[in-house]
Amino acid sequence: MKITKEQIGNVIWIVAILLILFTPVGFHVRVWVNKVVATVISPSTVDEREQTVLENYHWELIDMEGHKMNLKSKEGQVVLINVWATWCPPCVAELPGFATLYADYKDKVVFAFVANDEKEKVKTFLEKKGYDLPVYFQASATPKALESGSIPVTYIINKKGDVVVDKTGAANWNSDKVRNLLDQLLAE
């Protein structure tokens, strides 16, 4: 049986695709692709007529040190919630932008990075990357207005409880557009 150059080429492509999909190298490639995509995608606000209202702020979260925080205590403030995981390439891709945004707005906006992951993996990941983010784990059911079947998902909630941003997938969270929105919401 003679193997053609076309068959060899096809095998090389299949191996390359399998490496990208199922190896650590592939994970880094997927993160890089998501970073490129995220740089051009700035999240948009939800049309006012379609905004949901976070009527039930009750959501118990536990931080990395084991301290409880109920989102109810943050009612009336501007809140940014990001649900993510260390194994999720789009989640990892957008974290550098979040880290920069958090560094500039941490005293003005309530940030909650809710990890869908094991605590030790999250701790190791944050230390390795040098991220100083307020990371939480769920201790109660997610409020209905914040339920999503996908990650990453990010919500920005205004002082009245309106979910003004509901973005699934990676985005550039350190854009002028996001900063202008946060400044506008803080001024309300």
Side-chain angles (χ1 to χ4, degrees):
M1 182 170 133
K2 186 175 180 180
I3 299 175
T4 67
K5 287 182 182 179
E6 184 179 344
Q7 290 171 322
I8 292 172
N10 288 342
V11 168
I12 290 171
W13 275 109
I14 291 170
V15 169
I17 290 169
L18 290 173
L19 286 172
I20 290 171
L21 292 176
F22 300 109
T23 67
V25 170
F27 179 82
H28 295 295
V29 170
R30 291 190 309 275
V31 168
W32 180 82
V33 168
N34 277 282
K35 279 184 182 180
V36 170
V37 170
T39 61
V40 296
I41 298 175
S42 190
S44 299
T45 56
V46 177
D47 185 277
E48 216 170 299
R49 296 171 300 218
E50 297 177 14
Q51 289 178 0
T52 57
V53 176
L54 184 59
E55 294 176 6
N56 176 12
Y57 272 78
H58 179 73
W59 192 17
E60 289 211 10
L61 302 170
I62 299 176
D63 70 13
M64 295 292 287
E65 289 78 38
H67 302 110
K68 288 186 179 181
M69 187 271 285
N70 194 318
L71 192 61
K72 181 83 174 145
S73 68
K74 307 305 178 188
E75 193 170 357
Q77 299 178 55
V78 177
V79 179
L80 186 149
I81 297 169
N82 172 258
V83 183
W84 68 289
T86 62
W87 48 262
C88 164
C91 302
V92 172
E94 67 182 5
L95 281 176
F98 273 130
T100 304
L101 185 70
Y102 173 70
D104 292 342
Y105 282 85
K106 65 183 172 188
D107 296 328
K108 304 172 192 167
V109 173
V110 175
F111 287 84
F113 294 91
V114 182
N116 279 342
D117 217 326
E118 296 173 23
K119 183 179 176 182
E120 284 307 310
K121 284 185 180 179
V122 172
K123 181 179 178 186
T124 301
F125 174 84
L126 295 172
E127 288 172 357
K128 180 180 175 185
K129 296 291 185 180
Y131 293 143
D132 177 29
L133 300 170
V135 174
Y136 297 91
F137 300 90
Q138 294 188 73
S140 69
T142 306
K144 189 125 182 98
L146 304 178
E147 289 180 347
S148 174
S150 300
I151 58 170
V153 61
T154 303
Y155 305 98
I156 297 178
I157 304 159
N158 69 14
K159 294 175 183 178
K160 297 183 294 183
D162 302 323
V163 179
V164 297
V165 172
D166 179 346
K167 170 72 175 108
T168 302
N172 179 6
W173 293 99
N174 190 36
S175 68
D176 289 340
K177 185 176 179 181
V178 171
R179 288 172 173 270
N180 290 336
L181 172 63
L182 291 177
D183 291 340
Q184 180 183 14
L185 296 175
L186 289 166
E188 291 179 350

